[in-house]
Amino acid sequence: MEHAEVLGTLTEFVQEKVLDSAGVEIRPDTPLLEWGILNSLSTTSLVVFIAERFGVDVPAERMVGRNFRDLDSITRLVLELENDVRKV
Amino acid sequence: MVADVDFDIGIIGGGPAGSTIASYLAKAGLSCVVLEGELFPRPHVGESLIPATTPVLADIGALSKVDEGGFPRKYGAAWTSATRSDISTMGFQLSHGFKAAEVEFRERDQQGVDQDYTYHVDRGQFDLLLLQHSESLGAKVYEGVRVQRVEFEEDVKRIVFAMGRREIGLRVRLVVDASGRSTLLGRQLKLKVPDPVFNQYAIHTWFDGLDRSALAVDRKQADFIFIHFLPITDTWVWQIPITDSITSVGVVTQKKHFTAAKQEWGPFFERAVESRPDLADALRKSERVRPFKPEGDYSYAMRQVCGDGWMLVGDAARFVDPIFSSGVSVAMNSARIASYDILRAAESGGFGKPSFERYETKLRRAVGNWYEFISIYYRLNILFTAFVADPRYRQDVLRMLQGDVWDGDGEPVALTRMREITREVEENPDHLWHNHLGTLRAPSQAPMF
Ligand SMILES: Cc1cc2nc3c(=O)[nH]c(=O)nc-3n(C[C@H](O)[C@H](O)[C@H](O)COP(=O)(O)OP(=O)(O)OC[C@H]3O[C@@H](n4cnc5c(N)ncnc54)[C@H](O)[C@@H]3O)c2cc1C
């Protein structure tokens, strides 16, 4: 899957399900954790969404700040995990 | 040479552990005596059962009596916590977001269990029923007899108690200590080790007319056990149905909060529940019908659980923490498993320590699993919520919650994963759950006996 496609899906999810309004602009580098848009609890549900939508499990050891800093990092994480799945 | 004794087996204490082992042994034809210090029915803490009690009740033939005893049926368990409003729930799989987790027992088949419910019990009635049941199977039961000590002789043990001014010694071949938290033999033999980590205390009572659905999101679940988390460290409240109108409510908290209460249990209880206004409100509209009762110093292990001619079952062997309602199920299952070794030993003619090896191994493994599960729960609560919600682990967590920890081998996969993740989270300050780590921290070595 393409970076842009994953990014788009994740952005939509955060806009609609986390911020509850499709109108708000979130950029790929908006600091989600720093600004409290994502917290450890809502990240857990994001992980469930990622599993359902992209078919990849985010292992607990990768639920770290570095990977969830912004939409760009989350997108990279998803793509990496998809790659790992394909290699197996 | 077979020594001359009054009974084969002397059982100290007539709670669930004592009457269960008496039932198994009497049914198999051994002569047993149960010595119970109180006159039944007597009140007792520990009112919510888990499904692992069902096969034991069925085995000893008491299940239909319990089922017809009018005890409320328990179909599941639910957890609620005070949610901060800034936490988005995002249509997460939990039916009402992070406010609660819940499980129903019917979600997982359990060997030896043909019903999708267990029971909440008034322990006065439940323990009386079980004790009378053991009597009907041939055990000799004496109530109002408080054992003082056990004298160990070569082949014979003397169980000593007072009758008026006379001291009496009953001669038995094997002593089973089922004296609960009195831990008669544990104290006499200096085996008791207080738990270095768990130091929780509880204050509990009964309320009449509490609206149990006030905090249940789904009315159907009003008769589940509810565990309400309070926004005070490691503090929670149980809500257990006792009858249609009576509900048992208890606050469990750290010793430091408890000590600070200076024995003013009423104000302490009220202050604690006040931190959950919805709960406090429901309680104010109901009437308290029993005095507040404190329970403390209840977490400990024993250096040994058996020896030549003696063994410990139920709380007399070990108790950790009430969070998962495991106590009565451990009492009854430890009695069940101990009875297998005793019956085998009775055939071969000796009650030496080596004959109780299987019991010791199984008890250690089961209680070890409980201990770890409970430790992780207090250490990283969010992990429990996440695992319950995660289809990969839900069944395995449910297995623990059903109490199905006795007959499989090894530890449940979920427990292994939980331990690994907890370690990750502890070691990595960047982990998103790092600041959720609780203050209770269990040592990583296996729990001792
Ligand atoms: C705060 C708290 C909440 C709990 N909640 C739950 C729960 O929801 N569900 C659950 O399953 N468990 C719960 N438990 C645990 C539960 O209470 C015990 O695990 C269970 O009662 C153990 O059964 P037992 O037969 O080993 O001991 P007990 O039920 O304590 O029975 C021991 C018996 O021995 C008698 N005895 C004691 N000393 C002597 C003596 N010297 N001579 C003669 N008789 C004696 C006592 O009178 C008593 O009847 C809770 C415990 C605590 C502390």
Side-chain angles (χ1 to χ4, degrees):
Chain A
M1 210 178 284
E2 292 291 309
H3 188 93
E5 199 182 338
V6 174
L7 182 66
T9 310
L10 291 174
T11 308
E12 212 172 285
F13 180 80
V14 172
Q15 280 171 331
E16 285 175 13
K17 294 284 164 53
V18 182
L19 295 173
D20 212 12
S21 71
V24 181
E25 196 207 345
I26 313 179
R27 297 185 356 198
D29 63 349
T30 304
L32 300 177
L33 290 173
E34 213 174 288
W35 290 3
I37 294 171
L38 279 184
N39 58 32
S40 45
L41 286 170
S42 49
T43 312
T44 310
S45 350
L46 178 58
V47 164
V48 172
F49 172 76
I50 291 172
E52 280 170 357
R53 193 55 180 269
F54 303 108
V56 291
D57 286 330
V58 180
E61 59 271 19
R62 291 171 92 160
M63 288 187 63
V64 293
R66 189 166 28 84
N67 291 334
F68 285 84
R69 191 186 311 138
D70 50 30
L71 284 166
D72 222 16
S73 350
I74 306 173
T75 304
R76 256 180 285 135
L77 173 69
V78 171
L79 291 170
E80 262 171 51
L81 291 169
E82 279 190 329
N83 244 328
D84 292 351
V85 172
R86 230 171 287 130
K87 263 187 257 155
V88 179
Chain B
M1 191 197 85
V2 177
D4 183 24
V5 293
D6 299 306
F7 295 91
D8 292 327
I9 319 287
I11 298 159
I12 306 170
S19 43
T20 299
I21 201 158
S23 293
Y24 273 104
L25 300 179
K27 216 169 121 209
L30 293 187
S31 75
C32 306
V33 63
V34 181
L35 304 168
E36 165 56 52
E38 304 272 331
L39 297 175
F40 278 21
R42 51 95 181 90
H44 200 292
V45 71
E47 299 158 316
S48 195
L49 306 187
I50 54 175
T53 53
T54 305
V56 183
L57 290 169
D59 251 8
I60 61 175
L63 185 58
S64 57
K65 291 185 190 173
V66 172
D67 202 55
E68 286 150 22
F71 301 109
R73 293 180 175 183
K74 173 184 174 185
Y75 290 89
W79 291 260
T80 80
S81 59
T83 332
R84 278 173 296 136
S85 53
D86 62 329
I87 295 175
S88 168
T89 57
M90 300 174 50
F92 198 55
Q93 286 174 325
L94 297 178
S95 58
H96 32 273
F98 288 106
K99 197 163 186 190
E102 70 229 352
V103 296
E104 285 184 69
F105 298 130
R106 65 176 173 151
E107 293 173 56
R108 179 179 174 272
D109 286 335
Q110 188 177 355
Q111 212 187 353
V113 179
D114 294 330
Q115 55 187 52
D116 54 6
Y117 58 88
T118 173
Y119 309 90
H120 301 289
V121 297
D122 167 352
R123 287 286 302 276
Q125 298 308 320
F126 181 74
D127 290 15
L128 175 64
L129 185 159
L130 287 185
L131 191 58
Q132 287 176 339
H133 183 73
S134 73
E135 200 167 20
S136 76
L137 293 172
K140 188 90 195 145
V141 175
Y142 295 104
E143 291 181 45
V145 171
R146 186 150 293 274
V147 175
Q148 292 169 344
R149 64 179 187 280
V150 176
E151 289 172 2
F152 293 84
E153 288 151 29
E154 184 85 357
D155 274 336
V156 180
K157 317 288 165 245
R158 286 182 75 237
I159 303 184
V160 180
F161 54 91
M163 277 272 194
R165 250 180 264 151
R166 278 196 51 202
E167 190 175 270
I168 303 192
L170 276 186
R171 294 150 53 85
V172 301
R173 297 167 66 210
L174 171 73
V175 178
V176 176
D177 182 8
S179 64
R181 283 188 282 138
S182 308
T183 56
L184 183 94
L185 272 187
R187 279 185 296 114
Q188 182 186 323
L189 301 175
K190 302 202 169 28
L191 304 171
K192 198 166 173 176
V193 190
D195 193 291
V197 180
F198 291 100
N199 202 353
Q200 303 281 88
Y201 277 65
I203 297 166
H204 60 104
T205 182
W206 280 4
F207 288 90
D208 193 6
L210 177 72
D211 179 6
R212 294 200 279 259
S213 58
L215 292 119
V217 176
D218 184 342
R219 286 193 80 87
K220 279 204 314 284
Q221 295 160 350
D223 278 353
F224 280 23
I225 184 175
F226 269 79
I227 303 294
H228 302 298
F229 263 87
L230 303 185
I232 310 170
T233 1
D234 301 325
T235 304
W236 53 275
V237 171
W238 76 67
Q239 172 188 317
I240 299 173
I242 300 293
T243 67
D244 282 349
S245 70
I246 292 179
T247 307
S248 165
V249 181
V251 174
V252 178
T253 191
Q254 289 179 346
K255 183 177 186 173
K256 61 171 192 251
H257 301 308
F258 190 85
T259 315
K262 296 202 177 68
Q263 314 223 333
E264 305 267 338
W265 309 136
F268 172 81
F269 187 93
E270 274 149 34
R271 259 199 321 282
V273 294
E274 208 52 62
S275 62
R276 288 287 302 275
D278 42 356
L279 177 62
D281 209 42
L283 284 170
R284 262 193 299 275
K285 291 182 190 141
S286 59
E287 187 194 348
R288 184 165 57 82
V289 292
R290 278 201 173 170
F292 287 107
K293 173 127 201 297
E295 317 271 348
D297 286 323
Y298 51 65
S299 307
Y300 51 82
M302 296 290 170
R303 267 184 267 274
Q304 288 175 55
V305 292
C306 53
D308 289 338
W310 62 270
M311 61 205 301
L312 316 176
V313 293
D315 276 9
R318 177 145 206 203
F319 188 68
V320 181
D321 186 272
I323 184 72
F324 292 120
S325 309
S326 52
V328 172
S329 129
V330 171
M332 298 182 74
N333 279 285
S334 64
R336 168 175 70 88
I337 288 162
S339 77
Y340 302 155
D341 278 2
I342 295 173
L343 291 173
R344 216 175 297 115
E347 263 171 34
S348 63
F351 291 115
K353 182 167 196 247
S355 33
F356 308 132
E357 205 170 299
R358 284 188 223 200
Y359 170 66
E360 191 172 358
T361 310
K362 285 209 164 190
L363 184 70
R364 179 175 290 149
R365 193 198 302 132
V367 181
N369 283 346
W370 273 121
Y371 188 84
E372 186 126 25
F373 190 40
I374 294 170
S375 311
I376 290 174
Y377 184 77
Y378 277 106
R379 181 79 176 129
L380 192 56
N381 196 249
I382 186 177
L383 190 57
F384 174 77
T385 315
F387 267 50
V388 169
D390 191 324
R392 286 171 301 174
Y393 300 118
R394 188 178 175 88
Q395 287 280 310
D396 222 34
V397 173
L398 188 50
R399 176 181 158 203
M400 301 282 314
L401 295 173
Q402 289 171 327
D404 199 355
V405 294
W406 296 91
D407 298 309
D409 35 35
E411 71 174 16
V413 186
L415 197 52
T416 315
R417 275 305 285 151
M418 280 178 151
R419 186 174 41 235
E420 288 164 7
I421 295 172
T422 304
R423 197 158 305 141
E424 290 273 355
V425 174
E426 281 172 347
E427 284 165 7
N428 188 349
D430 191 36
H431 198 285
L432 297 170
W433 290 344
H434 191 77
N435 60 3
H436 284 269
L437 287 168
T439 50
L440 285 185
R441 183 161 194 180
S444 46
Q445 79 264 29
M448 76 185 296
F449 271 95

